[in-house]
Amino acid sequence: MKKIFSIIALSAIIGITGCKKDFLSLEVNPNTPSVATPQFQLSGTLAVSANLYNANVVATGNGAISLTTGGYPATVGVWMGYWTPSGNYVPNSALNTNNFTNTAYQIFTQFYLNLSNYNDLVKKGTADPTLVHFASIGKIMKAFEFQTLVDTYNNVPYTDAFKAPDVLFPKYDSGESIYDDLIKQLDAAIAAIKAAPTSAVNPGTSDIVFKGTMANWIKFANTIKLRLAIRQWNKLPAKQAALKTAILATSADGYVDETFQVAANPGYTNDDANSGKQSPFWLSYGANATGAVSLPGDYYKANNYAITKLKNTNDPRLSRLYAPAPAPTDPAVPFFGNIYGSTAPSNNPKTSGIGPGLLTGPTMNAVLMSSAESLFLQSEAAVYSILPGNAQSLYEKGITASFTALTVPNAATAAAAYYGQAINNVSWTASTDKVQAIIVQKWTALNGYGNLEAYSEYRRTGFPSDIPVSTQSTQPTIPSRIFYPATELSNNGDNVKAQGTINQFTSKIFWAK
């Protein structure tokens, strides 16, 4: 029997059906819907967001998310020169050639299912003013995840999303128009938090990101606004005045800074073997509760490009981003990646893996937005005179925040010594192109937790400009996007086809360089 619902329509009917014991699952059953309390719904939906941005996931037929070596976050980590597949595994033809299909690297289904739950929180808050904080968090996270969808697919369902059964085949809105409305929604969320009545229920511990500190949610919303504006700034100069006005309207509310980052933790633990309760980044690239190394973690190794770039600038984050490996035992065996501390060829078992500054333990927080990313955004905004402030100071604070997050010993002193070197794209004064310096440093800071954002910034700016392309790629360029999923083509085909022919190398997101 032919399916008649698109995944966006279906997700609106389902809502949240509960949190499984396994933090890495989001399964839905349309035949047994249940009603969740706002607290339970908020914590569960935020936990799934943590999975989506931190776990190396892939879509499955029933809407679940599962660990894989072919997930989108790790794939773009390879495209960005952070990681490379281990030569101990059969070569991945799709990854090496970039000749992938509309079944590869998909995040469409999982994001829309999770967005439906944030949308439901917004509805609850509209119906009950005491739930205004839940609704505001829902709006902020909708903006955060919809930006990711636009940055991945460009045009996507937005105004018609979650309107089932009235709309079963939602139309696609332009990425630019979605961006414009997301800024409005963030403004509305900020205003609602500020105007919340004394009777408003504080989310408390059900807020697994900020524990009910609504001032931090305002700063996070403001930072997303800034990211939305900066992303379009150079490509759409006619909008610059309006974007600056929108940013200045709430700039006094502050931004994510070096004092906190946006990270979730629902109570990750290593106690229950094989339960999937570990932090999603750890479970993806570290080990399970029994200590067995994860397949994605064993599969993805250090990329020679990143190691060389860090070495050439005397960057002490090298040993935090990549795990030191012993000397090679069989130099005749080719490898992918590089040995930390050695320029000699090596056999694959000796190739450096993901480092201890990223893999800190099974209970580690799941980062949604780092302090460094926000500070680099603010630095770029200062360069463009969107925001007041000292661009150099913000740039150097961003570097220091990255050192701190990666637990570089004596982080502040080490960071100052690092950016004090007279090296282009390291020292502010020695850098001829200030925006390039910001983005190159942001590229280093986003390694691991921020692969998706690094990929967007690369497509926006072209920096770092020397990231290598696979020698086997069908075109000598890094892919500019992935395809709409096969499931969406099957279920909402007319609206997908209306987007025209998509090419992974030449079709670009509206803000792309």
Side-chain angles (χ1 to χ4, degrees):
M1 182 175 177
K2 185 177 179 180
K3 297 177 182 177
I4 62 170
F5 294 97
S6 78
I7 189 64
I8 303 95
L10 180 61
S11 63
I13 295 174
I14 294 168
I16 192 167
T17 64
C19 280
K20 292 188 66 179
K21 185 178 180 182
D22 183 344
F23 288 148
L24 284 174
S25 292
L26 174 61
E27 296 187 2
V28 292
N29 183 346
N31 298 313
T32 57
S34 61
V35 177
T37 66
Q39 289 81 359
F40 183 79
Q41 188 169 8
L42 177 63
S43 60
T45 309
L46 287 171
V48 173
S49 292
N51 296 340
L52 293 175
Y53 286 95
N54 284 265
N56 192 44
V57 298
V58 68
T60 60
N62 64 357
I65 55 177
S66 303
L67 295 180
T68 176
T69 59
Y72 189 57
T75 296
V76 298
V78 173
W79 290 346
M80 289 298 94
Y82 296 142
W83 301 336
T84 191
S86 170
N88 290 322
Y89 292 86
V90 175
N92 184 326
S93 177
L95 181 59
N96 291 341
T97 65
N98 291 321
N99 188 24
F100 51 87
T101 69
N102 62 3
T103 61
Y105 315 139
Q106 288 304 324
I107 62 171
F108 192 95
T109 298
Q110 303 98 311
F111 269 79
Y112 271 106
L113 287 171
N114 205 42
L115 279 163
S116 72
N117 295 316
Y118 286 125
N119 190 66
D120 193 56
L121 281 170
V122 174
K123 288 182 177 180
K124 284 183 169 71
T126 301
D128 182 353
T130 67
L131 299 179
V132 61
H133 291 321
F134 293 85
S136 296
I137 293 173
K139 283 187 177 181
I140 294 166
M141 290 305 297
K142 278 183 69 178
F144 188 64
E145 294 196 2
F146 261 115
Q147 181 178 21
T148 299
L149 284 170
V150 171
D151 294 350
T152 303
Y153 300 100
N154 202 36
N155 303 338
V156 293
Y158 181 70
T159 55
D160 276 357
F162 320 123
K163 288 186 176 179
D166 297 324
V167 179
L168 300 182
F169 306 102
K171 72 177 185 301
Y172 280 48
D173 297 272
S174 72
E176 184 180 351
S177 68
I178 295 172
Y179 260 49
D180 290 344
D181 193 67
L182 295 182
I183 290 175
K184 295 176 183 177
Q185 295 304 316
L186 289 165
D187 280 339
I190 291 170
I193 293 171
K194 289 181 175 181
T198 55
S199 60
V201 178
N202 185 279
T205 56
S206 67
D207 169 10
I208 63 170
V209 175
F210 294 131
K211 302 297 186 289
T213 303
M214 300 310 298
N216 283 355
W217 278 107
I218 289 175
K219 291 178 180 180
F220 181 36
N222 226 15
T223 309
I224 299 169
K225 270 184 67 178
L226 187 60
R227 188 164 78 172
L228 289 162
I230 292 291
R231 192 83 95 226
Q232 308 172 72
W233 188 261
N234 290 323
K235 187 62 179 289
L236 302 171
K239 294 180 66 174
Q240 289 179 357
L243 289 170
K244 182 174 181 177
T245 297
I247 293 304
L248 290 176
T250 57
S251 61
D253 294 319
Y255 299 90
V256 175
D257 60 21
E258 66 273 18
T259 65
F260 73 101
Q261 62 179 353
V262 185
N265 198 321
Y268 297 125
T269 178
N270 203 42
D271 294 339
D272 190 359
N274 300 309
S275 68
K277 285 186 176 181
Q278 298 91 344
S279 179
F281 192 87
W282 176 268
L283 187 56
S284 289
Y285 305 109
N288 64 22
T290 67
V293 177
S294 70
L295 178 56
D298 189 48
Y299 183 77
Y300 291 103
K301 302 294 183 181
N303 191 310
N304 184 59
Y305 169 78
I307 286 184
T308 300
K309 203 169 190 68
L310 294 166
K311 282 184 176 180
N312 288 345
T313 57
N314 307 306
D315 195 329
R317 288 173 289 184
L318 173 60
S319 62
R320 309 305 298 160
L321 291 167
Y322 300 105
T329 56
D330 186 1
V333 178
F335 74 102
F336 295 84
N338 200 2
I339 295 294
Y340 169 68
S342 172
T343 58
S346 71
N347 53 358
N348 283 297
K350 305 300 183 181
T351 305
S352 297
I354 298 171
L358 293 175
L359 289 168
T360 62
T363 63
M364 61 188 283
N365 291 338
V367 178
L368 297 174
M369 178 183 283
S370 68
S371 300
E373 179 191 341
S374 176
L375 289 162
F376 287 129
L377 274 171
Q378 294 172 63
S379 178
E380 188 174 356
V383 169
Y384 299 143
S385 298
I386 301 173
L387 290 176
N390 186 295
Q392 178 179 349
S393 175
L394 290 162
Y395 169 82
E396 292 172 353
K397 283 183 178 181
I399 294 174
T400 303
S402 174
F403 274 59
T404 301
L406 292 170
T407 60
V408 174
N410 303 309
T413 301
Y418 167 73
Y419 62 67
Q421 302 177 98
I423 299 175
N424 190 41
N425 297 328
V426 175
S427 161
W428 181 263
T429 55
S431 299
T432 55
D433 184 330
K434 306 305 185 187
V435 171
Q436 180 177 9
I438 291 168
I439 303 304
V440 168
Q441 285 300 323
K442 186 187 288 189
W443 171 85
T444 301
L446 290 170
N447 187 325
Y449 303 148
N451 293 355
L452 298 181
E453 185 63 16
Y455 178 48
S456 291
E457 290 294 78
Y458 172 78
R459 289 174 293 163
R460 175 176 75 92
T461 66
F463 301 132
S465 58
D466 57 348
I467 297 177
V469 181
S470 169
T471 57
Q472 300 176 45
S473 180
T474 56
Q475 291 193 29
T477 183
I478 294 169
S480 57
R481 62 164 293 172
I482 62 174
F483 299 104
Y484 292 112
T487 51
E488 181 69 354
L489 180 62
S490 173
N491 299 331
N492 194 21
D494 288 345
N495 285 311
V496 174
K497 291 174 183 175
Q499 307 314 306
T501 301
I502 304 299
N503 180 281
Q504 70 266 45
F505 297 108
T506 59
S507 298
K508 296 184 177 182
I509 311 304
F510 79 94
W511 42 253
K513 185 179 177 68

